[in-house]
Amino acid sequence: DAKTTQPNSMESNEEEPVHLPCNHSTISGTDYIHWYRQLPSQGPEYVIHGLTSNVNNRMASLAIAEDRKSSTLILHRATLRDAAVYYCILRDAQGAQKLVFGQGTRLTINP
Amino acid sequence: NAGVMQNPRHLVRRRGQEARLRCSPMKGHSHVYWYRQLPEEGLKFMVYLQKENIIDESGMPKERFSAEFPKEGPSILRIQQVVRGDSAAYFCASSPENQPQHFGDGTRLSIL
C-alpha cells in the first residue's frame, strides 16, 4: 500500500481556514486520495476524495498538486466541532478495497 | 437513510468467553469491512466481506476470530475465548462497489 505522510498535530483558531497537508510521493496512477476524520469516541467519517482535479463538497475542499505527490485538505472556516484526527489515505481503484490508516493529524481548534 | 448500525455499543466479557459484534450496513450497501482500534493506536483493517463471501481477511488474527455476512441479517464478527489483548474498539464500515466507506460508531469491547 502506498504510504502517506502527515504532520502529527496542527492547531488553528475558530472561524479561520485550516490547511491540512499530506505527502504521497509514491502514489500510483490509479490511487484515489481519500480523507477521513475521527472525532473523539466516534467512528471515522468520510470527508472527501479525489483523483486528479480539485474537489469541493459541503464539508471541505481537496487541492491536489499537479504531480499528485501531495494534497491539501482545506476547511474553509473551522469550528470547534472540526477538532478531530484527520487521515489522508490512498486507495487503489483497481486493487484492495481496504483502507490503510496512518497516524493522521490531530487538529486542535482554539475558541 | 440510517447510517451503519453497530451493536452493542459496549460489551464486557470475561477471559475465555465469546464476543459477538453485529453490524447492519447502510441500505443498499453490499460491502462490509471490519477494523480494530487498540488503545492509543490507529485503526487496522481486519476483514472485507460481500454478501455470503469473505473477500479479504488479511488483517484477521489466524485463531479465535471469524466473520460472516449472511444473505439475510447483519454482519457478525465473532471472537472466541477472548483474552485481555482483545480489548479494543471494533468498527464496521459499509459501502457500495468502489465507493467511500461509511463507518458505524463502533463496539467497545472490554475484557475482565
Side-chain angles (χ1 to χ4, degrees), chain A residues 48-91:
Chain A
I48 201 166
H49 76 286
L51 184 63
T52 56
S53 303
N54 295 343
V55 184
N56 299 294
N57 66 21
R58 63 175 179 82
M59 289 182 69
S61 296
L62 176 59
I64 301 173
E66 199 169 329
D67 64 3
R68 301 209 326 124
K69 293 184 184 302
S70 66
S71 60
T72 302
L73 180 71
I74 303 167
L75 306 179
H76 294 285
R77 197 161 168 265
T79 69
L80 295 178
R81 294 184 64 232
D82 291 321
V85 179
Y86 286 77
Y87 298 98
C88 169
I89 300 169
L90 300 183
R91 187 178 176 194

Side-chain angles (χ1 to χ4, degrees), chain A residues 3-95:
Chain A
K3 292 193 63 150
T4 63
T5 305
Q6 301 177 251
N8 287 334
S9 61
M10 289 185 65
E11 201 168 322
S12 186
N13 298 318
E14 200 174 7
E15 298 186 6
E16 290 185 357
V18 180
H19 291 233
L20 295 161
C22 180
N23 288 319
H24 28 79
S25 58
T26 59
I27 191 170
S28 74
T30 54
D31 282 333
Y32 279 79
I33 302 158
H34 286 246
W35 283 82
Y36 285 78
R37 70 181 185 181
Q38 187 174 22
L39 280 66
S41 300
Q42 294 186 24
E45 176 185 25
Y46 166 76
V47 178
I48 201 166
H49 76 286
L51 184 63
T52 56
S53 303
N54 295 343
V55 184
N56 299 294
N57 66 21
R58 63 175 179 82
M59 289 182 69
S61 296
L62 176 59
I64 301 173
E66 199 169 329
D67 64 3
R68 301 209 326 124
K69 293 184 184 302
S70 66
S71 60
T72 302
L73 180 71
I74 303 167
L75 306 179
H76 294 285
R77 197 161 168 265
T79 69
L80 295 178
R81 294 184 64 232
D82 291 321
V85 179
Y86 286 77
Y87 298 98
C88 169
I89 300 169
L90 300 183
R91 187 178 176 194
D92 185 349
Q94 299 173 3

Side-chain angles (χ1 to χ4, degrees), chain B:
Chain B
N1 188 15
V4 176
M5 303 300 292
Q6 290 189 248
N7 67 82
R9 288 296 308 275
H10 300 273
L11 181 61
V12 179
R13 284 287 176 268
R14 296 187 181 280
R15 282 178 293 170
Q17 291 184 322
E18 178 179 288
R20 280 184 180 241
L21 288 62
R22 285 177 290 278
C23 170
S24 296
M26 288 179 70
K27 188 176 181 180
H29 290 192
S30 59
H31 300 243
V32 165
Y33 316 79
W34 287 92
Y35 295 81
R36 177 167 68 173
Q37 189 168 32
L38 294 167
E40 306 304 323
E41 293 190 18
L43 287 122
K44 303 291 185 192
F45 167 79
M46 299 181 75
V47 63
Y48 160 42
L49 310 102
Q50 293 180 31
K51 280 291 186 182
E52 300 185 279
N53 291 306
I54 295 175
I55 307 302
D56 180 355
E57 55 181 350
S58 58
M60 286 278 270
K62 294 289 185 275
E63 297 178 348
R64 300 187 299 108
F65 285 72
S66 62
E68 63 177 12
F69 187 19
K71 188 176 180 181
E72 300 290 339
S75 176
I76 306 288
L77 180 68
R78 182 183 178 204
I79 311 172
Q80 295 178 289
Q81 299 174 332
V82 296
V83 301
R84 287 246 169 90
D86 296 333
S87 295
Y90 292 82
F91 293 99
C92 170
S94 73
S95 76
E97 179 93 20
N98 284 327
Q99 294 296 313
Q101 296 175 23
H102 295 267
F103 285 77
D105 279 335
T107 293
R108 278 146 186 86
L109 176 63
S110 298
I111 309 302
L112 302 179

